[in-house]
Amino acid sequence: MPIETTPVLADAHSAHRAHGAHSPQSAHGAPGTHGAYGAGPAPDADLVAVPFGPGPTAPASAPWLESPVPVDALLAHYEAKGEPGEVVEVPTVRDGGGGVRRVLFYGVGDGSAAALRKAGAAVARRAKGRASLSVVVPSEGDGAALAEGALLAAYAFTVGNGRSKPVGEIVFVGGDERDLKRGEAVARAAALARDLVNTPSSVKTPAWLAEQAKAVAAGSGLGVRVWEESELGEFGGIRAVGQGSISPPCLVQLSYTPENPRAHVVLVGKGITFDTGGLSLKPTEGMKAMKTDMAGGAAVIAAMSALAAFDAPVRVTGLVACAENSISGSAQRPGDVITQYGGRTVEVLNTDAEGRLVLADALAYAHAELDPDVVIDVATLTGAAKVALGVNLGALYATDESLAADLVAAGEAGGERLWRMPLIEDYREMLDSDVADLANVDRRMSGAAGSIAAALFLREFTGGRPWAHLDIAGPARAASDEGEITKGGTGFGVRLLLRYLTAAS
């Protein structure tokens, strides 16, 4: 019997309170909470958040800021510095003197996008459990980042009657409505990725993930194609990884084509809906978070969902290679040799290095059939990347300097940072096989430079096209709430991909 899941994202609709778009739906249609843009704080808002600090500030007095103590004196009393993430809560008189309202003075720092994103997250978390929150937008600065931070921090995903109760409604007061709507659209896309990642694998089979992609395509005006069991004949990597599971693998293709596209970008996402490691079985602790092993595929689906809303000027094709890496009598074995799309043979020395096998098929297909100008793959690929960079940075490998620079810049601007890693040619020989064209891991089984070796393996299937590989094993999942990040799937990659794909507009 399906488990009922409820994703919750506080989002926003128009100032005149016409019915607006709800948060992304779960497979069972549970809606999120909602909010609005307005010209002044909602009269019945439980909390009002007002900016202050060395950067842009709100007026020091207003009808809804009535207090027997001047605002400056209040802030001085609390020794408030106005740093981003700082929140000072004080009681004030409600409009008309009818009781007490709580006001959150929130620091905005230098008013940069990063500072406002952190500030928005701080006020949303302080309003947790409240019915409503009115956020006064600074007169200067990036309102999109403020909305993005607040809405993402108000995200929650529960199974049944979960304990997480984010703020029910957020009203953004002032600011540029176009900026706020842009921030909302980015937050909704990231929340969609989180929903997909956080869904339990008892629900999230490859077929389920493909159905979610179809639903996204229908709602976003995308083309869609799904290769299922009998159609996967040439995709030897996808078939091999999925052959041990009762849930068959598949390949999903989403297509976005604007008028007069300036280029064609292919996004490739790893869609391993659960990873036991296969016969190279993971220990229990290593398996607990493996419902999130399709975070790269989720990022691709979610980024594709928002392209039309941002009028992205490039043609984008998204490929998500979906499989469950399980154990059974039919599972692939260490020592098996498989034939990837395009004919290259691979000796499988470790069945827990399965992500690169499904990605290799998709990359080879993209090169042979789609003629892209740029290829970018996104995957929770190696624990080595997490060891090297921790949980706040994604590893970036690239064969093109301009592409690498653009992705790093997009990550910095969107709050999803990347660190450029080297493709060391001396390490390529580690992947030579005695019986096939390649081995899927270092044939010496040393485990050294595991993230680099995985990137070098993928490069073999790109046909020499401009290519970047994002290993997001660290930042794709979080163990606790921090800033706009919530525990569980983070949706990492969605924001930076959207910035990269829309940068030319």
Side-chain angles (χ1 to χ4, degrees):
M1 184 174 180
I3 294 175
E4 287 290 333
T5 57
T6 305
V8 180
L9 171 70
D11 63 328
H13 55 78
S14 65
H16 53 75
R17 293 186 179 269
H19 180 72
H22 288 285
S23 67
Q25 307 291 301
S26 76
H28 309 290
T33 54
H34 64 280
Y37 308 114
D44 56 349
D46 290 0
L47 292 173
V48 175
V50 181
F52 78 99
T57 60
S61 63
W64 35 269
L65 261 182
E66 294 180 12
S67 172
V69 181
V71 170
D72 291 345
L74 277 172
L75 296 177
H77 172 76
Y78 287 104
E79 300 181 347
K81 299 180 176 63
E83 297 174 349
E86 182 181 14
V87 178
V88 176
E89 181 175 340
V90 298
T92 65
V93 180
R94 276 190 181 273
D95 298 353
V100 175
R101 183 207 300 264
R102 296 281 174 176
V103 172
L104 305 178
F105 290 97
Y106 68 93
V108 296
D110 60 3
S112 65
L116 290 177
R117 194 178 294 113
K118 185 174 183 179
V123 294
R125 292 203 185 283
R126 182 62 73 92
K128 184 176 180 180
R130 300 274 188 161
S132 60
L133 167 69
S134 285
V135 180
V136 177
V137 180
S139 57
E140 299 175 8
D142 191 342
L146 178 75
E148 184 183 306
L151 297 175
L152 285 176
Y155 171 92
F157 187 96
T158 61
V159 176
N161 296 316
R163 290 178 295 174
S164 183
K165 302 293 183 185
V167 60
E169 178 184 63
I170 299 178
V171 178
F172 295 99
V173 181
D176 186 309
E177 187 167 335
R178 291 173 299 178
D179 285 347
L180 295 170
K181 284 185 177 294
R182 187 172 70 250
E184 181 193 3
V186 171
R188 288 163 64 78
L192 169 59
R194 292 180 181 183
D195 290 347
L196 296 173
V197 172
N198 289 330
T199 297
S201 293
S202 54
V203 173
K204 186 171 53 187
T205 64
W208 180 91
L209 189 57
E211 287 301 315
Q212 305 314 299
K214 289 179 182 178
V216 166
S220 305
L222 304 175
V224 62
R225 178 183 178 186
V226 178
W227 287 261
E228 297 177 325
E229 294 176 80
S230 61
E231 301 168 299
L232 288 171
E234 295 183 78
F235 297 93
I238 297 173
R239 287 191 294 105
V241 172
Q243 71 188 38
S245 173
I246 60 171
S247 300
C250 61
L251 174 66
V252 176
Q253 177 174 309
L254 297 172
S255 304
Y256 166 79
T257 307
E259 292 186 12
N260 304 313
R262 300 177 186 177
H264 182 198
V265 179
V266 170
L267 305 178
V268 178
K270 174 184 172 184
I272 301 298
T273 57
F274 193 80
D275 183 18
T276 67
L279 294 182
S280 303
L281 192 65
K282 293 179 182 290
T284 300
E285 286 302 313
M287 216 182 294
K288 285 181 178 178
M290 285 302 102
K291 72 176 183 181
T292 69
D293 207 23
M294 36 59 68
V300 169
I301 293 170
M304 295 288 298
S305 77
L307 292 176
F310 284 98
D311 294 322
V314 293
R315 176 187 169 197
V316 185
T317 303
L319 299 172
V320 182
C322 308
E324 182 178 74
N325 190 25
S326 191
I327 55 173
S328 71
S330 61
Q332 67 172 336
R333 297 155 289 264
D336 283 0
V337 175
I338 64 174
T339 302
Q340 304 273 177
Y341 190 96
R344 302 198 76 180
T345 56
V346 172
E347 182 183 13
V348 180
L349 297 179
N350 186 334
T351 64
D352 195 22
E354 85 298 330
R356 66 199 70 182
L357 301 180
V358 301
L359 290 173
D361 273 352
L363 290 169
Y365 168 77
H367 168 64
E369 303 296 336
L370 300 179
D371 192 25
D373 298 295
V374 170
V375 181
I376 302 169
D377 74 74
V378 191
T380 49
L381 205 62
T382 66
K386 182 177 179 180
V387 170
L389 299 175
V391 297
N392 293 327
L393 291 169
L396 165 66
Y397 297 87
T399 58
D400 182 90
E401 295 301 315
S402 177
L403 173 59
D406 289 345
L407 286 170
V408 168
E412 287 289 341
E416 295 183 324
R417 293 180 296 162
L418 300 172
W419 189 266
R420 180 87 181 268
M421 299 286 279
L423 288 163
I424 300 176
E425 296 299 332
D426 292 353
Y427 293 172
R428 166 59 185 83
E429 59 88 24
M430 297 190 306
L431 299 174
D432 289 338
S433 168
D434 294 332
V435 299
D437 295 323
L438 289 166
N440 76 325
V441 294
D442 177 359
R443 69 179 187 278
R444 296 168 301 193
M445 305 299 285
S446 67
S451 182
I452 298 173
L456 289 169
F457 178 89
L458 294 177
R459 189 185 64 175
E460 295 290 312
F461 298 89
T462 62
R465 296 178 185 273
W467 160 77
H469 162 56
L470 309 183
D471 191 337
I472 62 170
R477 50 183 79 96
S480 61
D481 295 346
E482 182 178 354
E484 75 270 25
I485 299 303
T486 55
K487 183 177 180 179
T490 65
F492 187 94
V494 174
R495 290 182 280 167
L496 77 87
L497 287 175
L498 284 174
R499 283 186 177 270
Y500 169 75
L501 294 168
T502 61
S505 60

